[in-house]
Every structure is written in C-alpha cells, then in structure tokens.
Amino acid sequence: MRAMMQDVFRVEIERVRFLSESNYLKFYVDKNEKWELLCLICTLDGDPRYGVYDYLNMLKTIRCSHLTLLKFLRERIKCGDFRVVQGEKKSRKTLRPNDGLINELQDYQERLIDWVSLVTSVKHSKPIDDCLDDAYG
C-alpha cells in the first residue's frame, strides 16, 4: 500500500511540474476559482448566451470577490488567453479561449489520463520511475 502511495505522489509531482512549466495553465492553478473559471470559459467556448458575469455567477469554488476575478480576466484577455466575442445582448461580452490555451488544456487532460492509468494499473511492468521517464522523457 505504501509503495502505491509513493507512486501517487510521484505522479502528482509530475502533474504539478507540468502545470508550473506550462505557457498558459500556470496562471490558473493557484486558486480553484481560476481553474474552474478557465474550465467554464473553455466549455462554453464563446456561447453568445453567456457573458463574463454569467461565468462568475456559475462558479461554485469562489473564495474571492467578483472584482478580483474580473481584474484577473482582464489581465488574461490583455495577454491573449481569450478573445472577446459579442454576446446575444449588445451589452454582453463573452469569451473564447485562444487555440494555444485550448491545445495546452487538451495536452494536460491527455497527460492526466496517462497519469491516472499509471497509478491505477494493478501491476507495473517496470518501476514507476521508468514509466515516468518514458512518459515525460
């Protein structure tokens, strides 16, 4: 059991390192509400029925003010993470993630599946260190 937990922690180290070295995702991982916001925006992908305030109202993990998250979103828009798209209402602006951000998020999700399969496989054909080297070498 202890060996499996060590494998879990090694995989978690790889996950954290991947996120901290990423071009886009590293800005979203320090707070759950930022990560949830990123996932909501990517899921809705510029759907004109939803605006920025709708995204904020959908958050379940929010532990800071809407103003703080609005400031964060403005910064990320300036940096090019999102493109502002006209919503259904003239006053509503919605966001569409840039391709680089989407690609990085997809890469992360694919790696996450690999990491989970590394840990959940009942029997490793080789030590976990070798598996990690193969996966990220």
Side-chain angles (χ1 to χ4, degrees), residues 38-66:
L38 170 65
C39 292
L40 282 169
I41 293 170
C42 291
T43 299
L44 295 172
D45 193 29
D47 187 325
R49 296 174 295 168
Y50 302 97
V52 172
Y53 289 101
D54 295 315
Y55 302 145
L56 297 177
N57 290 328
M58 288 180 201
L59 294 175
K60 301 293 183 199
T61 60
I62 193 162
R63 300 280 186 264
C64 63
S65 72
H66 283 196

Side-chain angles (χ1 to χ4, degrees), residues 1 30-31 45 55 63 126 129:
M1 181 67 151
D30 64 330
K31 295 196 178 288
D45 193 29
Y55 302 145
R63 300 280 186 264
K126 49 187 166 179
D129 290 332

Side-chain angles (χ1 to χ4, degrees), residues 116-130:
V116 169
S117 67
L118 274 174
V119 172
T120 58
S121 62
V122 177
K123 200 178 195 184
H124 294 296
S125 58
K126 49 187 166 179
I128 188 74
D129 290 332
D130 293 343

Side-chain angles (χ1 to χ4, degrees), residues 46-51 85-94:
D47 187 325
R49 296 174 295 168
Y50 302 97
V85 180
Q86 182 60 51
E88 282 181 350
K89 296 179 182 176
K90 193 171 186 169
S91 63
R92 180 177 289 157
K93 303 291 187 226
T94 191

Side-chain angles (χ1 to χ4, degrees), residues 74-101:
R74 281 190 205 107
E75 290 170 7
R76 299 318 313 154
I77 291 167
K78 271 187 191 176
C79 291
D81 289 5
F82 304 106
R83 189 167 39 101
V84 177
V85 180
Q86 182 60 51
E88 282 181 350
K89 296 179 182 176
K90 193 171 186 169
S91 63
R92 180 177 289 157
K93 303 291 187 226
T94 191
L95 301 175
R96 176 165 283 143
N98 79 26
D99 291 340
L101 176 60

Side-chain angles (χ1 to χ4, degrees), residues 11-50:
V11 168
E12 184 64 10
I13 289 167
E14 290 297 319
R15 187 188 74 79
V16 169
R17 287 178 180 165
F18 173 83
L19 288 170
S20 70
E21 295 169 0
S22 67
N23 293 320
Y24 297 99
L25 301 180
K26 64 184 171 189
F27 298 104
Y28 300 90
V29 296
D30 64 330
K31 295 196 178 288
N32 289 335
E33 53 266 32
K34 289 179 184 178
W35 189 256
E36 184 183 6
L37 184 61
L38 170 65
C39 292
L40 282 169
I41 293 170
C42 291
T43 299
L44 295 172
D45 193 29
D47 187 325
R49 296 174 295 168
Y50 302 97

